[in-house]
Amino acid sequence: MFLLHRHPLKGGKVHDLDTEKDDLLSMGEKAMFIEHPTDPANRPKLNQVSKWDLPWAGITKLPYTITGPYLKTLFDKVFIDGLHNPMQRPNAEEWEIALLKTTDLMQKYHNVSCEQKWYVFDNTNTPRCPFCNTAHKGTLPVLDLYYQFQETTWKPENHRLMVYNDQYLFQWHVNRNIARNEKLTAAQKVPVGYFTFFNDKWVFVNQKLTSLKDVTEDKEIPIGTMLELTDGKKILLSKEEGGRVIVVTMANK
C-alpha cells in the first residue's frame, strides 16, 4: 500500500452480501491477490472505484511489476505462493535487501509534466516511464556488479546500479563486505565518486578509490581523474578483498 497506494487483496470479487463476512473472507480464507497472474477473479473493477483511487487502482496501466524485479519476486512469494502458506513468505532481511537493490534501479526522469519524476528501470534496452509512458532520451548506462568467486572467476551478483547525472557511488557498491545498513560508519557513508554526463559522454569521476582500474584498457584510474563509460567496459572498483568489478551496458543506444 505504501508503494502502490492500493490494497493487494481488496479487489472486485464479492464473497458474501454481508459486508462484515465478506471482509473476513476476502482478508482470510478466500483471500486472493488482485493481480494473480492466472486467476483474474479479484481484479479491481474501475467503474466501482473512487476517482481518488486513480490511477493507482488501474492495475493494467500500473501493475505491481513496476516496482522492479527484486520486489516483484517477493510480492509473488507473499501474495501468490505464500498467501495461504506463511512459511513460504520472505523474511524481513529479504525485504530489506530487495528494497535497497531497488533503490539502485531508480532512474531520474526529467519530464516536467510527470508527477513521479522517478521510476524503477525495467531492464529493457528501450526504457520508458510507466507513469507518463514517455521514452527515455539519450543513452543510459547500466552497471552490473560482479564478485570474485575464485581467483580467475567472477560471478554476477544479481545487482544492478543505474546511472544518471550526478549519481553517487558508495563503499557498499565497491565492496561486497560492506553492508548498507545501520552499522555503516560515517566514513562509509561518504561517496567515493560520482557519474556525470560530460562533453556528450558518460563518465565516472574518481574521488576516493585508490585501486580503481579500467580492466578493458588495462589502465589505472587515479583519484581526481575520470573514466569514460562505454558499452562492455569492465571496471575493477577495488583490489581489496570483497572488491567488485562492474560491467557497463549502454541501454537506449
Side-chain angles (χ1 to χ4, degrees):
M1 290 181 71
F2 275 118
L3 293 173
L4 295 171
H5 309 291
R6 59 179 180 246
H7 197 290
L9 305 178
K10 291 183 177 179
K13 189 173 180 61
V14 177
H15 302 280
D16 197 290
L17 294 178
D18 183 294
T19 305
E20 188 173 337
K21 288 181 181 178
D22 182 65
D23 197 51
L24 286 172
L25 289 170
S26 64
M27 294 297 104
E29 182 185 347
K30 301 292 185 179
M32 177 187 289
F33 185 34
I34 62 171
E35 298 184 71
H36 196 287
T38 59
D39 190 341
N42 199 28
R43 295 279 194 275
K45 294 179 172 61
L46 294 187
N47 62 347
Q48 297 177 2
V49 303
S50 165
K51 67 177 183 178
W52 308 111
D53 292 329
L54 296 174
W56 297 101
I59 63 173
T60 301
K61 179 175 173 56
L62 297 175
Y64 74 110
T65 52
I66 66 171
T67 59
Y70 308 122
L71 291 175
K72 187 266 183 190
T73 298
L74 297 193
F75 284 140
D76 287 345
K77 289 182 178 180
V78 172
F79 298 124
I80 300 172
D81 305 330
L83 185 57
H84 296 283
N85 187 354
M87 294 303 293
Q88 293 190 37
R89 299 174 193 168
N91 58 35
E93 183 182 22
E94 290 177 85
W95 281 110
E96 183 176 14
I97 291 171
L99 285 164
L100 291 172
K101 281 185 172 183
T102 299
T103 64
D104 281 340
L105 282 184
M106 297 291 289
Q107 182 61 38
K108 185 186 291 187
Y109 193 62
H110 298 285
N111 179 4
V112 293
S113 62
C114 182
E115 292 183 359
Q116 296 302 314
K117 310 303 180 193
W118 294 82
Y119 66 93
V120 180
F121 179 62
D122 61 2
N123 285 334
T124 66
N125 192 47
T126 54
R128 60 177 57 241
C129 173
F131 303 103
C132 64
N133 203 37
T134 306
H136 183 88
K137 293 181 181 179
T139 55
L140 189 61
V142 183
L143 311 181
D144 284 294
L145 277 57
Y146 285 72
Y147 72 99
Q148 191 166 22
F149 178 68
Q150 294 176 346
E151 186 173 348
T152 57
T153 305
W154 293 78
K155 287 192 173 184
E157 291 206 46
N158 187 31
H159 188 171
R160 279 183 156 178
L161 177 64
M162 297 304 302
V163 171
Y164 51 83
N165 203 39
D166 296 331
Q167 158 80 312
Y168 288 119
L169 189 76
F170 291 92
Q171 285 285 358
W172 57 79
H173 297 125
V174 172
N175 194 307
R176 73 191 310 254
N177 294 332
I178 298 175
R180 184 182 173 187
N181 57 29
E182 70 281 358
K183 296 179 182 178
L184 286 171
T185 65
Q188 290 170 338
K189 295 178 183 179
V190 177
V192 296
Y194 64 93
F195 301 93
T196 189
F197 195 63
F198 178 73
N199 285 347
D200 295 324
K201 298 176 181 178
W202 284 104
V203 298
F204 173 70
V205 179
N206 182 14
Q207 293 178 298
K208 291 184 176 295
L209 297 176
T210 57
S211 55
L212 182 68
K213 182 179 181 181
D214 182 337
V215 177
T216 303
E217 302 289 337
D218 192 24
K219 179 182 175 183
E220 304 287 337
I221 311 297
I223 292 175
T225 63
M226 65 177 65
L227 165 66
E228 183 182 352
L229 305 180
T230 55
D231 195 51
K233 177 154 288 191
K234 296 180 177 64
I235 303 165
L236 177 66
L237 298 177
S238 172
K239 293 179 181 178
E240 297 177 1
E241 183 180 350
R244 289 187 172 106
V245 160
I246 56 175
V247 178
V248 181
T249 300
M250 300 300 289
N252 213 41
K253 290 187 293 183

